[in-house]
Amino acid sequence: MEKVAFNVQEIRKEFPFINRKVNGKKLIYFDNGATSQKPQSVINRLTNFYTNENANIHRGVHTLSQEATSAYEESRINIQQYIGAKHSHEIIFTKGTTDSINIVAFSFGEHLKEGDEVIISAMEHHSNIVPWQMLCERKGCRLRVIPMNQAGELLLDEYSNLLSSKTKLVAVTHISNALGTINDVKTIIEKAHQVGAKVLIDGAQSIQHTKVDVEALDCDFYAFSGHKLFGPTGVGVLYGKEELLNDMPPYQGGGDMISEVSFERTTYNTLPHKFEAGTPHIAGGIGLGEAFHFLNSLDIDQVEAHEKELLDYATMRLKKIEGIKFYGEAKNKTSVISFLVEGTHPYDVGTLLDKMGIAVRTGHHCTQPIMNFYNIPGTIRVSFALYNTKEEIDLLITALDRIIPMLKN
Ligand code: PLP
């Protein structure tokens, strides 16, 4: 597909939220780590589906059902090609990252037995902690954690020490939602494979910011959410290597995931249907395909360069604020800045910024272990997407310059 040269002003025209006002001010949206805004093409695709194409999939002989099925399956192929998977049936539609991780923890987890070990890292989202704790409790396995340094970088030597023949699965985030750290997942995967362990990468914060090629990475599973990469909520993907998915028991039982059912015995459908019980989020899957179409029209390296420029510029400007402390200063990081300002509470800063039309996140960002590590209750998080600009960062700085003295008095 031909790529359009990156031009932030042109991109902004594709996102109708740009015209939104909040509290009488032009909205500045810096909460992209939580969810992204949607381009008009994705919104139109959803509307068009419900207006003209709505039918259930994989079941009907009638035209509408066949059209809906084709659109859904084309979307799967779009995603497969974008992330470099070998087969489209390695793309399982799920509810999102959380759902994808739970599928692996439950289904792949059925292979684990007492004494086996699962490794996660110190910077995981709760979604990539709790399912593994539940698995370990169920199976009598041990959960081990790769530590990190003060800058928010994983200690890979310590990781090597944790790995052994007992390690069955390593589950690590590609990019930290709270710190912005880009982890060296290629090395993490290689090391895990050396001891025969499989690897799940939590890609919730990755595909919208950087190139992801699952074959080149050689990860065994890759999980992500549609809503964070300009697609709809309630839909996401679990990528898994064919042989592993084939070898895993289904996660849920129901329609579409079966081959034959009798009261005595049921046989299961082939991939990807074995893991897609019941009527899926059809419009969501189709809308997600459109989001990938949007991403594919851009050169992701140029997107990454733009976001790096935003990160460097914002960091430089924020550094000049007296009493500011950053959390997450990894050498290799992406467009997330977590910080606190001495003498102020993050919640108050977030609330006053909202009064000025600026949306940021405050709190623990579903990463309480990170907050415990730094011994803080939470941070203010500014997270950029491809449609953000330096002018918006200037307005954030002006707003902070007004707010902070007010809160300190
Ligand atoms: N993992 C990471 C790194 C995240 O940032 C998030 C969401 O913020 C998740 C997992 C969970 O994603 P979802 O809530 O879309 O399932």
Side-chain angles (χ1 to χ4, degrees):
M1 186 175 181
E2 202 168 324
K3 309 281 180 195
V4 184
F6 186 84
N7 177 329
V8 70
Q9 293 307 332
E10 289 303 313
I11 281 180
R12 286 168 76 81
K13 287 183 195 154
E14 297 191 40
F15 285 82
F17 89 95
I18 294 289
N19 301 318
R20 174 75 211 265
K21 289 197 165 169
V22 168
N23 294 319
K25 302 278 184 336
K26 223 165 169 306
L27 169 65
I28 294 177
Y29 187 76
F30 284 154
D31 193 17
N32 295 287
T35 198
S36 66
Q37 299 297 338
K38 319 301 171 200
Q40 192 64 54
S41 57
V42 170
I43 299 167
N44 289 350
R45 191 69 194 86
L46 294 172
T47 310
N48 189 43
F49 173 76
Y50 284 122
T51 310
N52 296 309
E53 297 168 295
N54 179 52
N56 213 328
I57 55 172
H58 301 145
R59 322 177 173 191
V61 290
H62 60 83
T63 303
L64 226 50
S65 174
Q66 287 181 5
E67 282 177 6
T69 304
S70 298
Y72 194 72
E73 292 306 324
E74 264 169 40
S75 174
R76 198 189 302 275
I77 293 168
N78 267 349
I79 297 167
Q80 172 220 340
Q81 291 174 344
Y82 191 89
I83 68 166
K86 226 186 245 163
H87 310 287
S88 64
H89 56 254
E90 293 177 318
I91 304 298
I92 312 291
F93 281 118
T94 66
K95 287 189 286 183
T97 310
T98 306
D99 195 34
S100 301
I101 295 172
N102 274 281
I103 291 173
V104 179
F106 180 84
S107 294
F108 180 82
E110 279 303 285
H111 299 319
L112 271 60
K113 53 184 191 327
E114 200 175 332
D116 285 343
E117 296 186 351
V118 174
I119 297 180
I120 58 171
S121 91
M123 64 173 76
E124 297 310 316
H125 188 280
H126 297 164
S127 299
N128 202 26
I129 301 174
V130 185
W132 306 114
Q133 286 175 327
M134 290 161 69
L135 166 67
C136 288
E137 207 160 293
R138 217 168 51 237
K139 294 282 181 174
C141 302
R142 181 173 179 202
L143 189 66
R144 312 204 68 182
V145 182
I146 312 167
M148 66 177 186
N149 62 21
Q150 283 294 318
E153 294 162 325
L154 293 182
L155 303 178
L156 292 189
D157 288 342
E158 302 274 341
Y159 168 55
S160 299
N161 294 335
L162 292 177
L163 285 165
S164 75
S165 58
K166 290 185 194 159
T167 315
K168 293 296 174 263
L169 194 105
V170 176
V172 170
T173 194
H174 194 166
I175 293 178
S176 159
N177 65 308
L179 305 172
T181 310
I182 305 174
N183 285 317
D184 180 1
V185 284
K186 185 121 180 75
T187 301
I188 290 173
I189 293 163
E190 273 168 19
K191 286 185 180 222
H193 285 171
Q194 281 163 15
V195 297
K198 304 299 177 201
V199 184
L200 176 141
I201 301 297
D202 173 350
Q205 300 289 341
S206 319
I207 294 174
Q208 57 278 42
H209 298 299
T210 193
K211 175 99 193 97
V212 171
D213 182 328
V214 291
E215 258 226 293
L217 281 176
D218 196 26
C219 56
D220 300 289
F221 302 102
Y222 200 95
F224 58 90
S225 303
H227 68 98
K228 293 186 198 278
L229 50 85
F230 317 112
T233 51
V235 69
V237 164
L238 169 65
Y239 157 80
K241 283 183 181 164
E242 179 185 40
E243 65 275 18
L244 293 174
L245 292 173
N246 271 331
D247 211 29
M248 283 157 50
Y251 177 53
Q252 291 184 319
D256 235 24
M257 54 74 73
I258 53 86
S259 173
E260 277 182 46
V261 179
S262 72
F263 289 119
E264 288 71 40
R265 184 165 172 267
T266 290
T267 51
Y268 304 128
N269 205 340
T270 50
L271 295 175
H273 311 292
K274 185 173 99 176
F275 289 102
E276 293 182 359
T279 300
H281 186 0
I282 305 167
I286 294 172
L288 182 55
E290 192 63 38
F292 271 89
H293 195 67
F294 165 73
L295 273 172
N296 206 19
S297 70
L298 303 169
D299 178 342
I300 192 72
D301 293 337
Q302 290 178 8
V303 170
E304 198 168 5
H306 169 72
E307 293 181 355
K308 178 80 172 71
E309 221 177 292
L310 294 179
L311 174 72
D312 291 345
Y313 182 68
T315 306
M316 182 269 291
R317 299 252 10 222
L318 285 166
K319 253 187 193 154
K320 294 185 181 148
I321 293 176
E322 209 185 296
I324 198 159
K325 186 161 171 26
F326 294 105
Y327 295 90
E329 295 183 278
K331 276 184 221 79
N332 196 13
K333 72 173 277 188
T334 184
S335 50
V336 170
I337 305 179
S338 263
F339 63 95
L340 287 175
V341 184
E342 202 180 36
T344 68
H345 193 284
Y347 179 83
D348 295 335
V349 176
T351 306
L352 288 182
L353 284 175
D354 182 59
K355 295 259 177 289
M356 298 172 162
I358 303 175
V360 300
R361 193 70 158 193
T362 62
H364 56 62
H365 319 300
C366 294
T367 54
Q368 282 180 351
I370 295 183
M371 302 303 136
N372 294 341
F373 174 81
Y374 289 115
N375 202 17
I376 52 174
T379 69
I380 303 158
R381 183 185 71 180
V382 173
S383 52
F384 305 119
L386 44 74
Y387 38 64
N388 289 126
T389 64
K390 283 187 180 170
E391 291 71 33
E392 290 179 318
I393 293 169
D394 289 336
L395 290 168
L396 169 73
I397 301 294
T398 308
L400 287 171
D401 284 343
R402 275 183 60 196
I403 287 169
I404 292 166
M406 278 161 60
L407 290 173
K408 282 190 173 173
N409 284 333

